[in-house]
Amino acid sequence: MENKYYIVCGDHSGVFFGQIASRNGTEVELRNARKLWCCDGAFSVEELAVEGVTNPSICKFTVVVPEIVITDAIQILLCSNKAAFAMLG
Protein backbone atom coordinates (compact mmCIF):
# COMPACT_ATOMS: atom_id res chain seq x y z
CA MET A 1 0.00 0.00 0.00
CA GLU A 2 2.78 2.45 0.83
CA ASN A 3 4.08 2.93 -2.72
CA LYS A 4 0.66 3.42 -4.28
CA TYR A 5 -1.46 6.56 -4.21
CA TYR A 6 -5.05 6.71 -3.01
CA ILE A 7 -7.92 9.13 -2.78
CA VAL A 8 -9.51 9.10 0.68
CA CYS A 9 -12.89 10.74 1.17
CA GLY A 10 -13.74 11.86 4.67
CA ASP A 11 -17.31 12.15 5.87
CA HIS A 12 -16.72 15.75 7.02
CA SER A 13 -13.00 16.41 6.50
CA GLY A 14 -12.89 16.47 2.69
CA VAL A 15 -11.09 14.61 -0.08
CA PHE A 16 -7.40 13.75 0.20
CA PHE A 17 -4.72 12.28 -2.07
CA GLY A 18 -1.69 10.47 -0.73
CA GLN A 19 0.02 7.22 0.24
CA ILE A 20 -1.60 5.11 2.93
CA ALA A 21 0.78 4.39 5.80
CA SER A 22 -1.79 2.66 8.01
CA ARG A 23 -5.50 2.11 8.44
CA ASN A 24 -7.66 1.23 11.43
CA GLY A 25 -11.40 1.36 10.77
CA THR A 26 -12.28 4.88 9.64
CA GLU A 27 -8.85 6.23 10.67
CA VAL A 28 -6.38 6.46 7.80
CA GLU A 29 -2.83 7.78 8.11
CA LEU A 30 -1.61 9.33 4.85
CA ARG A 31 1.92 10.27 3.87
CA ASN A 32 2.86 12.79 1.19
CA ALA A 33 -0.74 13.96 1.22
CA ARG A 34 -2.69 16.91 -0.08
CA LYS A 35 -6.31 17.98 0.08
CA LEU A 36 -8.21 18.18 -3.20
CA TRP A 37 -10.42 21.28 -3.15
CA CYS A 38 -11.43 21.63 -6.77
CA CYS A 39 -10.68 19.26 -9.64
CA ASP A 40 -11.21 20.15 -13.28
CA GLY A 41 -12.18 17.39 -15.67
CA ALA A 42 -13.56 14.77 -13.28
CA PHE A 43 -17.23 14.47 -12.34
CA SER A 44 -16.70 12.06 -9.44
CA VAL A 45 -13.94 10.82 -7.16
CA GLU A 46 -14.14 7.47 -8.97
CA GLU A 47 -13.37 9.17 -12.29
CA LEU A 48 -10.68 11.21 -10.59
CA ALA A 49 -9.00 8.02 -9.32
CA VAL A 50 -9.05 6.38 -12.75
CA GLU A 51 -8.63 9.24 -15.24
CA GLY A 52 -7.08 12.02 -13.16
CA VAL A 53 -7.70 15.64 -14.08
CA THR A 54 -7.65 17.24 -17.51
CA ASN A 55 -6.31 20.64 -16.43
CA PRO A 56 -4.15 20.23 -13.31
CA SER A 57 -2.93 23.83 -13.55
CA ILE A 58 -6.39 25.20 -12.71
CA CYS A 59 -7.22 22.64 -10.02
CA LYS A 60 -7.05 23.65 -6.38
CA PHE A 61 -4.85 21.29 -4.35
CA THR A 62 -3.17 22.17 -1.07
CA VAL A 63 0.54 21.86 -0.46
CA VAL A 64 1.86 18.39 0.23
CA VAL A 65 2.15 17.59 3.93
CA PRO A 66 4.44 14.80 5.16
CA GLU A 67 1.73 13.14 7.26
CA ILE A 68 -1.95 13.53 8.10
CA VAL A 69 -4.47 11.34 9.91
CA ILE A 70 -8.02 11.29 8.55
CA THR A 71 -10.40 10.08 11.26
CA ASP A 72 -13.63 9.94 9.24
CA ALA A 73 -12.76 7.97 6.09
CA ILE A 74 -15.82 6.68 4.24
CA GLN A 75 -14.28 5.88 0.85
CA ILE A 76 -10.80 4.79 -0.27
CA LEU A 77 -9.93 4.57 -3.95
CA LEU A 78 -6.70 3.31 -5.52
CA CYS A 79 -5.39 5.79 -8.09
CA SER A 80 -4.22 4.70 -11.53
CA ASN A 81 -0.69 5.72 -12.50
CA LYS A 82 -2.19 8.26 -14.93
CA ALA A 83 -4.32 9.85 -12.19
CA ALA A 84 -1.52 9.89 -9.62
CA PHE A 85 0.89 11.54 -12.05
CA ALA A 86 -1.64 14.30 -12.79
CA MET A 87 -2.14 15.05 -9.07
CA LEU A 88 1.51 14.89 -8.08
CA GLY A 89 1.97 18.10 -10.05
Side-chain angles (χ1 to χ4, degrees), residues 28-39:
V28 179
E29 179 184 348
L30 292 176
R31 299 245 164 86
N32 305 313
R34 62 190 337 168
K35 189 177 239 181
L36 309 178
W37 284 99
C38 179
C39 302

Side-chain angles (χ1 to χ4, degrees), residues 26-77:
T26 60
E27 185 173 290
V28 179
E29 179 184 348
L30 292 176
R31 299 245 164 86
N32 305 313
R34 62 190 337 168
K35 189 177 239 181
L36 309 178
W37 284 99
C38 179
C39 302
D40 186 61
F43 294 107
S44 67
V45 290
E46 293 82 5
E47 185 177 355
L48 186 61
V50 174
E51 297 294 328
V53 294
T54 56
N55 294 311
S57 63
I58 63 171
C59 295
K60 295 179 182 177
F61 302 153
T62 64
V63 297
V64 175
V65 295
E67 183 178 303
I68 189 170
V69 176
I70 311 305
T71 60
D72 63 344
I74 57 171
Q75 190 174 22
I76 299 172
L77 300 128

Side-chain angles (χ1 to χ4, degrees), residues 17 80-89:
F17 167 80
S80 69
N81 288 337
K82 174 184 176 182
F85 182 75
M87 288 181 278
L88 286 169

